[in-house]
Amino acid sequence: VVCLLIQFIYLLHYFICTFSHASTHATMSETALEEMAVLSAIYCEKDEFELLEQSDAKGLVFQIQLVVETHLLKLVFQLPPEYPSCSPDISVSSEQLTRKQCSDIRLSLLNRASILISQPMVHELLLWLQQNCTIATSEQSVRYCSPGGTCEQRCKEETWTALLLIDHMRARNKYQKTIEKWTLELGLTGRLFMGKLILILLQGAKETIKEYLLLQKTVKVDVDSTGKKCKERMMRVLCETPLPLGCKQLPAFEVKDYSSLEELRSEFELVGLFELYHEFVHTLL
């Protein structure tokens, strides 16, 4: 009887451990899938994001093309099933850089990842790389600026324009105040158009706009049909493009209510972005 009891305890322990292990991996997989969905929404231009593999054995493998200064980098991230309890594997390649430079960037990213364990980190790694990395081509070396410091080689970022489509807002006042708060904190300007279509026009540095998109996708900004707080899952990035020549960046972020599509078109004309309206908004009507 004692032997049978011991065997039963061992079997019970085995099944508990197995179930716990499987549940942990399922949770981690959901975290990785959600992060990948956010990244694909942020890096949505042609060839910026590509899913290479998705399997139980390897987890998620995807490639992101990123411009650091004037150099195009291809970064491949492998998020294993245990992620984010462990760092992703990273490979870096570029036709414009030497193998040593790519290796230096990879090691720097891995070192940075080691202090971000237990949280989704890929987008933070990409932002860190763009904000702090200086590639000295003549010296075949890579240098980094401190996050709060300055760097003589850092390029001045040009102004970009992004246009977002929001499907609906149930908690309009709260949602609107959150958008205004984020744009103020990030130094973005633009418009929130409220009417038949809900559109967010953002202007500012490209990476700052991507930081906004990350917030928009990952923070609970609205409520669902039951009144429970929820994330924005139906936002569409209609375009991300440099500010057209001859146009000046809007001086502030403002909310504009419109009652007719003619009024909306006039608002775009007023800020010199009629072509943007014609190409991306008119087709939605």
Side-chain angles (χ1 to χ4, degrees), residues 117-159:
I117 297 294
S118 80
Q119 59 179 304
M121 66 182 78
V122 175
H123 187 251
E124 186 165 342
L125 290 174
L126 296 172
L127 286 178
W128 176 84
L129 180 64
Q130 286 194 304
Q131 292 169 0
N132 300 291
C133 176
T134 297
I135 301 170
T137 307
S138 59
E139 302 172 18
Q140 295 192 354
S141 64
V142 178
R143 295 196 294 270
Y144 295 87
C145 309
S146 60
T150 59
C151 183
E152 292 180 359
Q153 295 81 10
R154 182 174 291 173
C155 298
K156 182 180 179 182
E157 292 200 57
E158 62 181 330
T159 301

Side-chain angles (χ1 to χ4, degrees), residues 3-282:
C3 289
L4 288 173
L5 182 60
I6 291 173
Q7 289 178 1
F8 174 75
I9 292 172
Y10 274 126
L11 284 171
L12 182 62
H13 177 72
Y14 170 78
F15 283 120
I16 290 174
C17 289
T18 302
F19 177 77
S20 175
H21 185 70
S23 298
T24 301
H25 281 279
T27 303
M28 296 304 174
S29 296
E30 289 172 8
T31 301
L33 285 168
E34 185 169 328
E35 182 177 17
M36 185 183 70
V38 170
L39 290 167
S40 65
I42 294 174
Y43 298 95
C44 58
E45 295 181 20
K46 187 177 184 297
D47 298 327
E48 271 196 324
F49 180 92
E50 181 182 359
L51 176 62
L52 302 176
E53 185 176 344
Q54 180 176 344
S55 66
D56 293 335
K58 287 191 175 182
L60 296 171
V61 183
F62 53 83
Q63 175 180 280
I64 291 178
Q65 293 196 45
L66 191 71
V67 175
V68 177
E69 295 183 314
T70 59
H71 306 285
L72 179 64
L73 305 183
K74 294 182 180 180
L75 300 102
V76 176
F77 292 87
Q78 180 186 346
L79 277 53
E82 298 82 11
Y83 177 85
S85 296
C86 64
S87 299
D89 189 20
I90 305 171
S91 67
V92 180
S93 62
S94 173
E95 295 180 357
Q96 300 165 304
L97 301 179
T98 65
R99 185 175 297 180
K100 181 182 183 301
Q101 287 174 315
C102 291
S103 177
D104 288 345
I105 293 172
R106 176 179 180 273
L107 290 175
S108 298
L109 287 171
L110 290 173
N111 287 335
R112 182 72 178 173
S114 66
I115 65 174
L116 299 174
I117 297 294
S118 80
Q119 59 179 304
M121 66 182 78
V122 175
H123 187 251
E124 186 165 342
L125 290 174
L126 296 172
L127 286 178
W128 176 84
L129 180 64
Q130 286 194 304
Q131 292 169 0
N132 300 291
C133 176
T134 297
I135 301 170
T137 307
S138 59
E139 302 172 18
Q140 295 192 354
S141 64
V142 178
R143 295 196 294 270
Y144 295 87
C145 309
S146 60
T150 59
C151 183
E152 292 180 359
Q153 295 81 10
R154 182 174 291 173
C155 298
K156 182 180 179 182
E157 292 200 57
E158 62 181 330
T159 301
W160 277 62
T161 297
L163 187 62
L164 319 178
L165 174 66
I166 304 297
D167 186 75
H168 63 273
M169 290 183 182
R170 285 195 172 94
R172 171 176 168 166
N173 291 337
K174 178 180 177 298
Y175 205 144
Q176 180 178 313
K177 287 179 180 178
T178 300
I179 293 172
E180 291 178 292
K181 175 176 178 290
W182 286 343
T183 54
L184 180 63
E185 291 175 347
L186 293 171
L188 294 170
T189 62
R191 296 286 186 270
L192 169 59
F193 296 113
M194 300 292 295
K196 182 178 180 180
L197 297 175
I198 303 174
L199 299 165
I200 303 176
L201 177 69
L202 297 173
Q203 291 185 336
K206 184 177 182 180
E207 287 311 306
T208 308
I209 289 175
K210 290 192 181 295
E211 286 186 56
Y212 177 92
L213 294 176
L214 181 66
L215 290 170
Q216 185 81 50
K217 279 287 205 175
T218 57
V219 177
K220 293 180 179 178
V221 290
D222 205 3
V223 296
D224 60 20
S225 57
T226 65
K228 184 179 178 181
K229 292 181 179 179
C230 64
K231 298 176 184 178
E232 177 57 69
R233 300 186 183 278
M234 300 180 71
M235 179 193 76
R236 287 172 54 193
V237 180
L238 299 179
C239 76
E240 283 184 88
T241 181
L243 189 67
L245 292 175
C247 289
K248 292 184 178 180
Q249 182 176 355
L250 295 169
F253 187 87
E254 300 177 10
V255 179
K256 295 285 186 179
D257 289 286
Y258 67 92
S259 56
S260 67
L261 298 177
E262 179 64 28
E263 189 177 344
L264 177 62
R265 185 177 67 83
S266 297
E267 287 289 345
F268 274 83
E269 286 183 339
L270 191 63
V271 296
L273 295 173
F274 175 73
E275 290 299 324
L276 200 73
Y277 172 87
H278 182 73
E279 185 173 355
F280 298 103
V281 180
H282 182 70

